[in-house]
Amino acid sequence: MSKDLASFHEALLQSKRVLAVCGAGLSASSGIPTFRGAGGMWRKHNALELATPEAFRKDPGLVWQFYSLRRHNALKAAPNAAHYALAEFARQRPFPEFLTLTQNVDGLSEGAGHKGKSVEFLHGSLFRVRCARSWCRYERFDISDPITPALAVPEGEEDGAWRDVPIEGLPKCPECRTGLLRPAVVWFGEELDSQMLKRIQQHIARDPVDLCIVIGTSGTVYPAAGYASQVKAQGGKVAIVDIDCSVRGDDADWLFEGDAARVLYLSTFPLSDTC
Ligand code: OAD
């Protein structure tokens, strides 16, 4: 395994097909906490335990407060150099040459101009809401902050002070008028969009990917965690960019330890000097 940026950059330029797989570490230097790092707690609640359909059924007010806070903080955050570098690379090497798969729901890739066919949002978006009733298909894009007055994040409480929010204070579905709205993100135990998964598999199978860059993800959640191995099994190379590579990279060809924004902007994508 190599730490040599020059050989990595050369491989990047030579690759016909490049896949980036991103996680929370991509947005860390924009101030968005990761899931399994120190910021992955909200008050006494583990962020991972709130991201479930069971938690929403049990206490929708609690789960909505958590998501209202995440929406509020994501709207205040700005994309960092890594988001811009990936967006710029996507402009230079349009789909199908370059495809990004991101697990992030914070809207920062879109904010950097990384949109369209060249990026798939595996876990949805904080800024889409849908009816929680499985039979109601209502969904909309929504960046209102707060989404209801009861879910306003009080000034100075951006770390998330908890209040009781009665069910009447939560957003309702305007279509069926019986369900609550919920964030259109993928929660634990839920299926990812099957059409999207099919598109990704077809993309990887159609022409082998030469290089997969894994950026700021602990590699614990599938299917995202499996794409690099799939690329490797098809003969492609793998590079990992992460602030902590201590337990990573057994089968990586390159391993770059550091902040994604710094590594991607300064070294990985030197072509992205328009940031
Ligand atoms: P994790 O919190 O599991 O992992 C974040 C990774 O980013 C870790 O490997 C950190 O070392 C790394 N990291 C932290 N700061 C970084 C920085 N500044 N630069 C580079 N790397 C950094 O987050 P994910 O892997 O994204 O899913 O988590 C995967 C999924 O688990 C999430 O999408 C979410 C969560 O449950 C759902 O909610 C469905």
Side-chain angles (χ1 to χ4, degrees), residues 123-143:
H123 295 166
S125 165
L126 285 175
F127 302 107
R128 294 200 70 80
V129 291
R130 67 175 173 87
C131 183
R133 300 245 189 249
S134 53
W135 45 264
C136 178
R137 309 315 304 169
Y138 182 78
E139 185 168 332
R140 71 167 186 253
F141 175 71
D142 188 319
I143 53 164

Side-chain angles (χ1 to χ4, degrees), residues 66-232:
F66 171 62
Y67 278 95
S68 189
L69 180 69
R70 287 184 66 191
R71 285 163 59 96
H72 178 77
N73 289 337
L75 282 170
K76 282 195 319 188
N80 64 54
H83 297 104
Y84 285 112
L86 291 170
E88 176 60 19
F89 194 65
R91 269 189 291 274
Q92 294 182 12
R93 304 277 295 273
F95 181 84
E97 285 182 43
F98 179 49
L99 174 64
T100 296
L101 311 177
T102 183
Q103 299 168 90
N104 298 349
V105 294
D106 53 31
L108 294 181
S109 292
E110 299 95 307
H114 199 177
K115 298 176 188 169
K117 276 178 129 182
S118 68
V119 56
E120 297 279 10
F121 297 93
L122 297 172
H123 295 166
S125 165
L126 285 175
F127 302 107
R128 294 200 70 80
V129 291
R130 67 175 173 87
C131 183
R133 300 245 189 249
S134 53
W135 45 264
C136 178
R137 309 315 304 169
Y138 182 78
E139 185 168 332
R140 71 167 186 253
F141 175 71
D142 188 319
I143 53 164
S144 51
D145 179 30
I147 190 163
T148 64
L151 288 169
V153 177
E155 193 81 27
E157 289 187 7
E158 280 79 5
D159 61 341
W162 182 84
R163 315 177 299 293
D164 243 335
V165 178
I167 203 139
E168 300 74 48
L170 302 180
K172 309 278 169 348
C173 176
E175 198 162 288
C176 73
R177 295 172 185 275
T178 63
L180 288 177
L181 291 178
R182 54 159 279 184
V185 297
V186 178
W187 283 334
F188 279 103
E190 294 185 323
E191 302 284 325
L192 276 69
D193 182 282
S194 57
Q195 292 299 318
M196 175 187 64
L197 292 180
K198 205 164 139 195
R199 273 198 307 276
I200 296 169
Q201 277 314 330
Q202 280 172 349
H203 174 77
I204 296 176
R206 195 175 297 137
D207 261 321
V209 171
D210 306 300
L211 177 61
C212 177
I213 313 167
V214 180
I215 303 157
T217 173
S218 56
T220 44
V221 175
Y222 283 81
Y227 291 122
S229 316
Q230 200 177 337
V231 167
K232 194 82 185 159

Side-chain angles (χ1 to χ4, degrees), residues 35-73:
F35 286 89
R36 292 167 185 82
M41 295 293 287
W42 176 57
R43 308 278 293 173
K44 61 187 186 329
H45 304 281
N46 183 328
L48 297 173
E49 283 162 16
L50 293 171
T52 68
E54 292 75 29
F56 189 73
R57 271 195 295 274
K58 191 170 153 217
D59 194 344
L62 177 70
V63 173
W64 253 120
Q65 275 188 76
F66 171 62
Y67 278 95
S68 189
L69 180 69
R70 287 184 66 191
R71 285 163 59 96
H72 178 77
N73 289 337

